[in-house]
């Protein structure tokens, strides 16, 4: 679900940019360049994001992994926690270790691809999404994420359309199906 939310956000940004760019391009000379405002952490810093994970739970999971490096559930939970905090690099590390234990877990593989995408490793992300599709050619989240990556990062609208069409054919009730059809 995390990858679905992230992918939906990325598509929304892309569509918003595509709609607003021509409008803003015409108005660009009229816009005064604003000076950047430095970020000063305060009581509201981080507001709106997920709450930090329970440090006791993190320590407990890390101890479990230290005692048993193949503790798949602990590795995945640590990955989810890091992902939720938008620490995608750390999340990718935990997911990679989890996939060493259980490489056939498609949800973890897809989340791993999403984490890789978020740290700028687009080609590695595509590889992970395609591995998910090799195991299950109709996996909804991998199809959606591939379409988004091809559209947003590779500017390959033909490939994006291909994956969106496969997604809608296999999952007409996909949560973002209406948006994808547009």
């Amino acid at each position: 679900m995390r990858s679905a939310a992230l992918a939906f956000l990325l598509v929304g940004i892309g569509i918003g940019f595509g709609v607003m760019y021509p409008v803003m391009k015409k108005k660009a000379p009229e816009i005064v360049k604003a000076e950047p405002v430095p970020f000063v952490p305060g009581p509201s810093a981080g507001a709106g994001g997920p709450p930090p994970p329970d440090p006791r739970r993190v320590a407990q999971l890390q101890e479990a992994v230290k005692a048993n490096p193949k503790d798949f559930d602990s590795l995945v939970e640590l990955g989810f926690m890091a992902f939720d905090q938008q620490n995608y690099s750390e999340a990718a590390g935990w997911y990679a270790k989890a996939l060493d234990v259980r490489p056939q877990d498609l949800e973890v593989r897809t989340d791993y691809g999403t984490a890789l995408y978020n740290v700028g490793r687009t080609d590695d992300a595509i590889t992970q999404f395609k591995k998910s599709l090799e195991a299950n050619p109709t996996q909804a989240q991998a199809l959606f994420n591939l379409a988004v990556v091809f559209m947003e990062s590779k500017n390959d609208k033909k490939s994006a359309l291909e994956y969106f069409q496969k997604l809608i054919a296999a999952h007409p009730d996909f949560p973002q199906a209406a948006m994808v059809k547009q």
Side-chain angles (χ1 to χ4, degrees):
M1 295 314 277
R2 288 168 191 67
S3 54
L6 180 61
F8 183 74
L9 176 66
L10 290 172
V11 169
I13 290 169
I15 291 171
F17 180 80
V19 169
M20 291 305 297
Y21 180 75
V23 174
M24 294 307 291
K25 185 175 180 184
K26 291 176 187 173
K27 294 183 178 183
E30 303 167 17
I31 299 174
V32 177
K33 186 175 181 181
E35 291 296 318
V37 178
F39 174 73
V40 179
S44 64
D54 178 3
R56 293 175 300 205
R57 180 65 181 150
V58 172
Q60 181 184 32
L61 292 167
Q62 289 173 336
E63 283 299 316
V65 169
K66 189 175 181 181
N68 176 9
K70 295 188 182 283
D71 182 345
F72 179 81
D73 293 331
S74 294
L75 291 166
V76 171
E77 189 172 343
L78 284 164
F80 287 161
M81 287 178 171
F83 193 98
D84 286 346
Q85 295 301 307
Q86 298 178 355
N87 186 344
Y88 302 115
S89 180
E90 182 180 333
W94 292 118
Y95 291 146
K97 289 178 182 180
L99 288 169
D100 286 343
V101 176
R102 199 178 297 164
Q104 74 279 9
D105 192 298
L106 302 184
E107 180 181 342
V108 172
R109 184 165 303 283
T110 302
D111 285 349
Y112 178 47
T114 304
L116 291 171
Y117 177 75
N118 281 296
V119 295
R121 293 176 53 190
T122 303
D123 292 333
D124 293 332
I126 289 171
T127 298
Q128 294 306 314
F129 298 142
K130 285 185 175 182
K131 282 184 179 181
S132 290
L133 292 175
E134 286 172 11
N136 178 0
T138 62
Q139 188 200 19
Q141 200 57 55
L143 288 167
F144 183 81
N145 289 1
L146 262 173
V148 170
V149 169
F150 277 113
M151 185 171 65
E152 297 293 325
S153 292
K154 295 292 187 176
N155 199 25
D156 181 350
K157 295 185 182 2
K158 180 181 175 191
S159 294
L161 182 60
E162 174 188 333
Y163 286 109
F164 277 140
Q165 288 172 335
K166 288 179 182 180
L167 171 68
I168 296 304
H171 305 279
D173 295 332
F174 189 73
Q176 292 88 11
M179 185 254 333
V180 168
K181 288 176 184 177
Q182 289 177 353

